[in-house]
Amino acid sequence: MIRPIVRDVLFLSRKSVPAEPADLPLAQDLQDTLTAHRDGCVGMAANMIGVTKRAIIVSMGPMDLVMFNPVITKKEKPYEAEEGCLSLDGHRRTTRYDVIDVEYRDTQWKPRKGRFTGWTAEIIQHEIDHCDGILI
């Protein structure tokens, strides 16, 4: 289901709680909502659609990846970035890392590990910040 985008900074500033297996249907809502906003959006956290669970979706070119309870376990090669967000007006500067290792659960609730680089790594970091109530 396509959900409305939350723009309330007080809501977005709240830290999300861990997702559970019962939250797996959230993956479809994230997918549908990202697809509906594909022209101006490359990633989304669950709180952006009104759900305070640790879940994100990231566009990786021809495919999208949903991560439940993502945790960055390693960061390499810091750089300065300027980012926009569908939930917030304007752009903000922040430090990101060109290479990150992430542990997460997939849409089958299986534990996964991945190494991500470049643009994909930047999107993941932005969406995990959303889960942590950090507005960039």
Side-chain angles (χ1 to χ4, degrees):
M1 170 175 50
I2 299 170
R3 294 199 183 201
I5 301 300
V6 173
R7 297 182 56 80
D8 178 347
V9 294
L10 292 177
F11 181 85
L12 294 168
S13 296
R14 295 192 325 212
K15 205 168 187 176
S16 296
V17 299
E20 301 171 356
D23 297 312
L24 285 172
L26 178 58
Q28 190 61 55
D29 291 350
L30 285 166
Q31 181 68 67
D32 293 345
T33 308
L34 178 63
T35 298
H37 294 278
R38 182 126 6 237
D39 61 334
C41 185
V42 292
M44 191 169 288
N47 67 350
M48 293 174 64
I49 59 171
V51 181
T52 55
K53 295 287 187 158
R54 290 189 67 84
I56 68 172
I57 187 169
V58 178
S59 177
M60 297 175 40
M63 64 173 271
D64 298 326
L65 176 64
V66 175
M67 297 178 170
F68 288 97
N69 300 323
V71 175
I72 297 171
T73 58
K74 187 175 183 182
K75 304 175 193 177
E76 300 174 12
K77 301 181 184 175
Y79 66 95
E80 293 300 310
E82 184 172 287
E83 299 174 350
C85 180
L86 195 59
S87 288
L88 304 168
D89 293 326
H91 290 84
R92 285 146 303 282
R93 295 198 58 72
T94 188
T95 299
R96 294 293 183 214
Y97 295 84
D98 191 49
V99 180
I100 59 171
D101 291 345
V102 182
E103 292 181 3
Y104 62 97
R105 298 246 175 203
D106 68 12
T107 56
Q108 305 301 310
W109 206 252
K110 293 180 182 171
R112 300 284 183 199
K113 294 180 183 181
R115 175 164 275 219
F116 301 91
T117 61
W119 180 239
T120 301
E122 185 173 335
I123 299 166
I124 291 169
Q125 290 167 84
H126 179 98
E127 303 313 336
I128 289 176
D129 278 354
H130 268 292
C131 292
D132 291 334
I134 299 168
L135 302 181
I136 298 293

